């Protein structure tokens, strides 16, 4: 059974810091991995999608990497801003299904 | 392009009552998902539709939850009777990729409180 874990559960950093959020999954047979952002009281916004054949994806100040063999992904946020404050969720698509299995998220606070 | 629409945004009911949530996916998206997100947890898939057919409902508590997607567009999720542990945000998502998971687009969710 696929399980997704995110560490740390919460993170508070000053503005301008570079930071790394971690995601691990127990079964390496995945189709893709996605990172989402969730603001309080809101739905989820897709940030980056990495196919199983890819190693990383970049969008602006965000960079996500994938190491399938070790069951790990990282989301790197450069030069963090207060507007980055949100919960970040990692989700994997198991290789034999279409559904997404989510981690419990990392709650990020960036203070001025 | 309009996003995924959900209603109501908030609902408070007493246990054993019933409730229904509605979702209108992005136009043209064939795949529709209902997720349950309990406070402090990641979303959990309840049911997945491909057009108006059910692809996966293995985690749907079928004794109290039901969902339908008539005509392959809008969908309704119903809970009857509700229990305290059903308090959660119910998220609807849609995808335009047929057969395999692509990028999912989520609505803002319907927050249910069961007293």
């Amino acid at each position: 059974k696929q399980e997704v874990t995110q560490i740390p559960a919460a993170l508070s950093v000053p503005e301008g810091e570079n930071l790394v959020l971690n995601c691990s999954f127990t079964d390496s047979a995945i189709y893709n991995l996605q990172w989402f952002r969730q603001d309080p009281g809101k739905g989820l916004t897709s940030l980056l999608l990495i196919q199983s054949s890819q190693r990383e994806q970049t969008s602006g100040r965000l960079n996500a990497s994938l190491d399938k063999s070790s069951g790990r992904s990282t989301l790197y946020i450069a030069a963090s801003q207060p507007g980055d404050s949100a919960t970040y969720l990692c989700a994997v698509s198991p290789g034999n299904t279409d559904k997404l299995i989510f981690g419990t998220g990392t709650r990020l606070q960036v203070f001025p | 392009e309009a996003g995924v629409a959900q209603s109501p945004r908030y609902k408070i009911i007493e246990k054993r009552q019933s409730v229904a949530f509605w979702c209108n996916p992005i136009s043209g998206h064939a795949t529709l998902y209902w997720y349950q997100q309990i406070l402090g947890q990641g979303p959990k898939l309840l049911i997945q539709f491909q057009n108006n057919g059910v692809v996966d409902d293995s985690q749907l508590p079928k004794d109290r939850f039901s969902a339908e997607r008539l005509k392959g567009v809008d969908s309704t999720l119903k809970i009857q009777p509700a229990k305290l542990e059903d308090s959660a945000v119910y998220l609807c998502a849609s995808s335009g990729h047929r057969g395999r998971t692509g990028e999912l687009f989520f609505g803002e969710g319907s927050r249910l409180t069961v007293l």
Side-chain angles (χ1 to χ4, degrees), chain B residues 17-82:
Chain B
Q17 288 187 325
S18 63
V19 63
F21 301 114
W22 172 83
C23 173
N24 181 239
I26 292 174
S27 178
H29 279 192
T31 309
L32 185 148
Y33 312 80
W34 282 102
Y35 283 85
Q36 180 193 57
Q37 186 176 25
I38 294 173
L39 187 65
Q41 298 182 17
K44 181 185 78 171
L45 179 69
L46 292 175
I47 190 167
Q48 176 186 351
F49 292 95
Q50 182 75 27
N51 295 310
N52 60 350
V54 175
V55 174
D56 184 349
D57 64 357
S58 58
Q59 297 192 84
L60 186 74
K62 298 180 185 64
D63 58 334
R64 298 182 301 104
F65 286 64
S66 65
E68 59 182 8
R69 190 183 185 196
L70 300 176
K71 301 180 182 178
V73 182
D74 295 4
S75 177
T76 303
L77 176 71
K78 296 180 181 178
I79 307 174
Q80 181 180 12

Side-chain angles (χ1 to χ4, degrees), chain A residues 12-13 19-20 34-36 42 50 53 56 63 66 74-75 77 81 83 85 98-100 102 104:
Chain A
S12 182
V13 300
L19 53 96
V20 175
Q34 298 184 52
W35 283 94
F36 292 86
K42 301 290 187 181
I50 310 177
S53 58
E56 65 177 342
N63 175 275
L66 174 63
T74 61
L75 178 66
I77 303 177
Q81 303 171 357
S85 298
D98 289 342
K99 65 183 179 184
L100 285 177
F102 283 84
T104 53

Side-chain angles (χ1 to χ4, degrees), chain A residues 32 34 38 41 43 97-99 103, chain B residues 9 37 42 45 99-102 107:
Chain A
N32 64 38
Q34 298 184 52
Q38 186 173 33
T97 71
D98 289 342
K99 65 183 179 184
Chain B
R9 287 294 315 280
Q37 186 176 25
L45 179 69
R100 295 302 315 186
T101 301

Side-chain angles (χ1 to χ4, degrees), chain A residues 13-78:
Chain A
V13 300
E15 181 177 8
E17 275 204 7
N18 302 323
L19 53 96
V20 175
L21 308 183
N22 296 292
C23 172
S24 60
F25 45 96
T26 55
D27 188 343
S28 62
I30 64 170
Y31 180 69
N32 64 38
L33 182 145
Q34 298 184 52
W35 283 94
F36 292 86
R37 170 184 172 139
Q38 186 173 33
D39 293 284
K42 301 290 187 181
L44 280 66
T45 301
S46 180
L47 297 173
L48 291 164
L49 184 155
I50 310 177
Q51 301 292 350
S52 62
S53 58
Q54 298 175 320
R55 296 283 294 182
E56 65 177 342
Q57 282 286 334
T58 298
S59 176
R61 294 182 294 108
L62 305 180
N63 175 275
S65 67
L66 174 63
D67 184 343
K68 257 185 56 173
S69 60
S70 66
R72 293 181 180 181
S73 176
T74 61
L75 178 66
Y76 176 82
I77 303 177

